[in-house]
């Protein structure tokens, strides 16, 4: 009997242990997305009710650079299968530096990176990264610090000042010490010697950080692949006139584009252009590529036509469509053509802002001109045919006019 009880107890214990073990195992089997936390250095309450700007050098303010780079890193990472959080997304009066550990730990990160800029009254240049000593996971922290410093320094060919233990920091220790994840404090570059990079290359700082973080959580970098259309081509044509246009795309991802893998595909209104055009050269991340010999033959119909292009990798479209806008004015409407050419110069300077509204106004102007010309021509013709019977002429011209009104909605 006693052995029976003991056996039952043992079974009960095994069941309970099995149940407890089952919980976390099942949770792990669902493989949750890695959680990446970015802490834009400074921009928090300095403890006296003011925002701490960090270091300032000329027009460069540390908290503005770190927030911009953190946001852009999030922008790149959010295209991928990871969760990204910033400890703050604007000046944060509600927290001081001492509160950041609570924010980070509350997010239960897989990895956490604090982003700062360095400052020196010497000519010091380059990137360094600090790791924890006696923190949550010093080994992973040190490894992450080493590849972050190398990744950022390599991006710009500036000195890699390497991974450094927080105990060597003049402050004696760093606020990443309390973070419950492999954590690094990254000093992007120096506000003085590297000022130009920090002013103009923030997207590429973000690329370098995003590459290292994705690699560290085993997410392939092609998840962030993206083409951004740079401006648009626009010109005024007579019917059936042919022109050569250019389309420019920015490689806004993390990997180079290789010829053979990528092509520019016509997705709308070929207007005599080929179905697809090969990538002309290798395009590094952050670089632009231009296809400068894209033909477009204007249709016969006056109005606004759009030839559209999209970058494809194999069968997968990537990012923005690029548009070639073909404005067709009636044959021989030389004055109208000149007037519209003047207006599209202004449009080019404005960029994409209000482009569609402006194009709609131009389209109406062209259609008005077409209607006016047609009505004049028809009135003349009917006068000849009907011998001046003004009622019949008016009725016929009116019918044609109404038909045109219906058609003027069409626009591609
Ligand atoms: Zn700082």
């Amino acid at each position: 009997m006693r052995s029976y009880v003991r056996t039952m107890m043992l079974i009960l214990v095994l069941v309970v242990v099995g149940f407890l073990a089952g919980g976390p195992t099942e949770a792990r089997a669902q493989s949750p997305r890695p959680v990446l936390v970015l802490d834009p250095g400074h921009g928090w309450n300095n403890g006296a009710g003011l925002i701490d700007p960090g270091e300032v050098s000329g027009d460069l303010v540390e908290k503005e650079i770190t927030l911009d780079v953190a946001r852009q890193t999030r922008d790149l990472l959010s295209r991928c299968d990871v969760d990204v959080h910033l400890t703050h997304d604007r000046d944060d009066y509600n927290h001081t530096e001492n509160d950041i550990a609570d924010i980070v730990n509350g997010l239960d990160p897989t990895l956490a990176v604090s982003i700062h800029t360095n400052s020196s009254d010497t000519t010091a240049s380059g990137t360094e990264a600090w790791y924890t000593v006696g923190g949550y996971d010093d080994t992973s922290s040190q490894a992450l610090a080493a590849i972050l410093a190398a990744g950022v320094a390599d991006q710009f060919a500036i000195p890699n000042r390497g991974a450094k233990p927080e105990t060597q920091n003049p402050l004696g220790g760093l606020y990443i010490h309390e973070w419950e994840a492999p954590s690094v404090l990254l000093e992007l570059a120096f506000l003085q010697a590297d000022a130009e990079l920090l002013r103009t290359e923030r997207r590429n700082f973000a690329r370098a950080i995003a590459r290292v973080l994705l690699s560290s959580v085993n997410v392939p970098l092609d998840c962030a692949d993206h083409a951004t259309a740079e401006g648009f081509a626009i010109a005024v044509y007579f019917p059936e006139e042919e022109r050569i246009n250019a389309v420019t795309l920015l490689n806004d991802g993390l990997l180079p584009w290789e010829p053979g893998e990528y092509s520019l595909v016509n997705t709308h209104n070929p207007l005599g252009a080929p179905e697809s055009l090969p990538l002309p050269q290798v395009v590094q991340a952050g670089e632009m590529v231009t296809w400068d010999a894209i033909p477009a033959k204007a249709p016969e119909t006056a109005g606004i036509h759009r030839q559209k292009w999209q970058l494809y990798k194999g069968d997968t479209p990537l990012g923005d469509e690029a548009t070639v806008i073909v404005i067709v004015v009636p044959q021989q409407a030389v004055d109208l053509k000149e007037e519209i050419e003047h207006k599209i110069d202004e449009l080019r300077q404005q960029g994409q802002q209000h482009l569609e509204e402006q194009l709609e106004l131009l389209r109406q102007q062209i259609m008005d001109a077409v209607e006016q010309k047609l009505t004049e021509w028809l009135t003349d013709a009917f006068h000849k045919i009907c011998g001046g019977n003004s009622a019949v002429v008016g009725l016929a011209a009116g019918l044609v006019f109404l038909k045109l009104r219906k058609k003027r909605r069409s626009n591609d």
Side-chain angles (χ1 to χ4, degrees):
M1 187 65 197
R2 195 175 286 169
S3 75
Y4 170 77
V5 169
R6 206 177 291 152
T7 307
M8 288 307 288
M9 288 291 285
L10 184 64
I11 288 169
L12 188 65
V13 166
L14 286 174
V15 166
V16 169
V17 168
F19 178 77
L20 288 176
T25 308
E26 270 167 32
R28 227 175 292 132
Q30 287 171 3
S31 64
R33 287 148 63 100
V35 178
L36 305 173
V37 172
L38 305 168
D39 170 52
H42 312 279
W44 47 61
N45 194 317
N46 68 355
L50 297 173
I51 291 298
D52 168 14
E55 297 287 339
V56 178
S57 174
D59 61 324
L60 294 177
V61 181
E62 182 174 5
K63 70 157 178 134
E64 291 170 7
I65 298 169
T66 61
L67 182 59
D68 192 7
V69 171
R71 282 175 173 164
Q72 297 208 45
T73 308
R74 175 180 60 188
D75 177 42
L76 295 165
L77 290 172
S78 62
R79 297 174 189 160
C80 301
D81 198 17
V82 294
D83 287 332
V84 196
H85 301 278
L86 267 53
T87 53
H88 57 271
D89 197 5
R90 59 188 62 76
D91 282 349
D92 180 2
Y93 284 91
N94 297 322
H95 299 95
T96 68
E97 183 176 336
N98 292 332
D99 300 324
I100 304 301
D102 286 342
I103 297 174
V104 171
N105 296 341
L107 293 165
D108 196 15
T110 313
L111 299 173
V113 178
S114 177
I115 300 170
H116 288 254
T117 58
N118 230 329
S119 189
S120 169
D121 48 16
T122 69
T123 56
S125 161
T127 308
E128 63 196 26
W130 299 87
Y131 58 89
T132 56
V133 177
Y136 177 85
D137 180 349
D138 298 341
T139 307
S140 301
S141 171
Q142 184 173 357
L144 182 60
I147 52 173
L148 269 172
V152 174
D154 287 356
Q155 171 85 39
F156 304 108
I158 54 177
N160 176 7
R161 300 163 61 94
K164 300 181 174 184
E166 60 170 332
T167 45
Q168 274 180 25
N169 191 280
L171 299 170
L174 294 167
Y175 69 120
I176 57 169
H177 187 84
E178 310 295 330
W179 297 4
E180 291 162 2
S183 303
V184 168
L185 190 151
L186 174 66
E187 302 270 13
L188 297 171
F190 283 82
L191 287 170
Q192 296 79 20
D194 305 317
E196 198 51 31
L197 290 179
L198 289 170
R199 193 176 290 116
T200 61
E201 293 291 322
R202 294 179 192 172
R203 190 79 175 169
N204 284 326
F205 278 105
R207 275 187 233 287
I209 297 169
R211 272 191 206 104
V212 169
L213 291 181
L214 289 174
S215 304
S216 300
V217 294
N218 298 315
V219 173
L221 301 186
D222 58 359
C223 57
D225 212 356
H226 188 90
T228 303
E230 293 290 311
F232 51 92
I234 184 168
V236 189
Y237 300 61
F238 286 127
E240 305 205 291
E241 186 180 345
E242 267 189 81
R243 279 172 186 262
I244 298 298
N245 297 294
V247 161
T248 299
L249 296 178
L250 167 72
N251 177 351
D252 190 38
L254 302 175
L255 293 170
W257 293 341
E258 304 282 348
E261 284 185 48
Y262 293 80
S263 54
L264 189 68
V265 174
N266 179 270
T267 51
H268 181 78
N269 224 352
L271 300 177
E275 267 175 42
S276 84
L277 298 160
L279 185 71
Q281 80 246 7
V282 176
V283 185
Q284 299 298 332
E287 285 183 0
M288 287 193 262
V289 55
T290 298
W291 287 262
D292 57 6
I294 298 183
K297 184 177 178 188
E300 283 179 47
T301 43
I304 296 183
H305 306 269
R306 290 170 179 77
Q307 183 193 52
K308 290 189 180 176
W309 298 90
Q310 168 109 60
L311 190 74
Y312 270 73
K313 182 183 189 185
D315 296 331
T316 311
L318 293 172
D320 299 344
E321 273 186 326
T323 307
V324 175
I325 300 165
V326 174
I327 301 178
V328 185
V329 297
Q331 195 67 267
Q332 285 141 12
V334 179
D335 291 351
L336 180 65
K337 190 175 189 225
E338 278 173 12
E339 194 184 331
I340 290 181
E341 270 166 353
H342 181 70
K343 283 188 180 166
I344 65 172
D345 277 344
E346 290 168 17
L347 275 185
R348 278 197 201 95
Q349 281 159 24
Q350 285 172 17
Q352 304 278 2
Q353 217 184 354
H354 307 304
L355 177 64
E356 287 304 318
E357 290 159 44
Q358 301 291 329
L359 286 176
E360 179 56 24
L361 292 176
L362 286 184
R363 194 180 69 84
Q364 281 169 13
Q365 190 183 354
I366 294 166
M367 294 328 258
D368 284 345
V370 171
E371 272 173 20
Q372 200 190 335
K373 276 246 175 319
L374 266 177
T375 312
E376 280 168 18
W377 180 80
L378 284 169
T379 309
D380 270 6
F382 282 130
H383 264 294
K384 280 174 196 149
I385 296 162
C386 310
N389 186 333
S390 59
V392 176
V393 170
L395 185 66
L399 282 173
V400 172
F401 185 81
L402 282 174
K403 197 151 190 200
L404 274 169
R405 265 286 138 111
K406 269 193 192 164
K407 269 193 91 172
R408 52 183 294 165
R409 285 287 114 212
S410 74
N411 195 354
D412 64 344

